[in-house]
Structures are given as structure tokens and as C-alpha cells.
């Protein structure tokens, strides 16, 4: 029988703003964080169903190592959740602000493609 997978996460006080901002600067990772904020804990495969497993692993690892998400093994699944309370205690309002700006940008892009005006 194989050993259970374990993941290393930074302690709350070790989560740094530059690493969080770097993690959130990539559109794919930002979309993953948006999904987690909306839906709560998810299987990693549901965060990027069309992505190669190696790409998904790379992005989820970066989010975990930066302190943005918590990863745990559940059988064969890799469950991921947003570290909302930890991030809020370190950088109050940051994730909400970044996600609201991202949603506005996504809405604007959608309006532009549809020929609509704001």
C-alpha cells in the first residue's frame, strides 16, 4: 500500500505579498482562484479539465507554494481550496479586489467581442 500524499504549505505568517501577486498575475491561475472563490473546494481536475495534467500540477503547485490555496489528498483525488481566511488576515481585501478587477476586465472583453458598449 502506498503512503498518503502530503503537501507542504507556508504558514499564514510566511505568506508574502510578492509571491501571492505573482501567483495571481497569470490568467489561468487567476481563473482557478475565481472558481475556488465561487464554488469552494474542488478536485484539481475540475479546475482545468482541458489542461494536461503536468500543466495543472504546475499551476496548482505554484498557488499552493505561494499560500493562495490549500491542497489535500482524498483517495486518488487532489482537493484544492482557497485559503480565504489566511489571505484575508495577511492582506485584507486583496483577493476580493483582484477578483473584482478580473471580473470587470472579463466583462469588458465580453462586451467588446459582442459589439456592446459600456
Amino acid at each position: 500500500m502506498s503512503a498518503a500524499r502530503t503537501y507542504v504549505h507556508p504558514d499564514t505568517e510566511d505568506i508574502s505579498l510578492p509571491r501571492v501577486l505573482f501567483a495571481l498575475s497569470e490568467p489561468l491561475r487567476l481563473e482557478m482562484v475565481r472558481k475556488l472563490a465561487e464554488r469552494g473546494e474542488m478536485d484539481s481536475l475540475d479546475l482545468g479539465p482541458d489542461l494536461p495534467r503536468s500543466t495543472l500540477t504546475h499551476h496548482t503547485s505554484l498557488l499552493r507554494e505561494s499560500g493562495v490555496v490549500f491542497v489535500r489528498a482524498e483517495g486518488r483525488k487532489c482537493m484544492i481550496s482557497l485559503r480565504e481566511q489566511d489571505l484575508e488576515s495577511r492582506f485584507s481585501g486583496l483577493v476580493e479586489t483582484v477578483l473584482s478587477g478580473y471580473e470587470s476586465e472579463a466583462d469588458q472583453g465580453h462586451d467588446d467581442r459582442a459589439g456592446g458598449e459600456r
Side-chain angles (χ1 to χ4, degrees):
M1 183 164 201
S2 64
R5 290 171 289 161
T6 57
Y7 299 94
V8 177
H9 302 84
D11 292 332
T12 302
E13 61 274 6
D14 294 330
I15 298 173
S16 73
L17 185 58
R19 292 198 67 178
V20 170
L21 291 175
F22 176 77
L24 297 176
S25 70
E26 205 286 325
L28 179 61
R29 291 190 296 267
L30 191 55
E31 179 62 20
M32 291 174 162
V33 169
R34 185 193 63 75
K35 285 180 182 179
L36 292 169
E38 285 181 358
R39 301 178 193 168
E41 186 178 57
M42 296 176 67
D43 184 332
S44 64
L45 296 177
D46 294 333
L47 285 175
D50 299 329
L51 295 175
R53 193 172 288 242
S54 61
T55 301
L56 186 59
T57 299
H58 166 75
H59 288 294
T60 56
S61 294
L62 199 146
L63 288 168
R64 175 183 49 78
E65 291 164 1
S66 69
V68 174
V69 299
F70 183 81
V71 181
R72 68 179 181 84
E74 183 179 281
R76 295 184 61 144
K77 294 181 179 182
C78 179
M79 302 303 293
I80 303 183
S81 58
L82 187 59
R83 290 180 66 176
E84 291 178 82
Q85 291 180 335
D86 293 335
L87 291 167
E88 186 63 22
S89 72
R90 290 287 292 148
F91 316 110
S92 182
L94 176 69
V95 173
E96 181 181 346
T97 300
V98 169
L99 289 178
S100 68
Y102 173 66
E103 290 167 1
S104 297
E105 188 175 293
D107 290 343
Q108 182 178 352
H110 177 72
D111 288 347
D112 290 346
R113 286 187 304 273
E117 294 183 26
R118 290 198 86 158

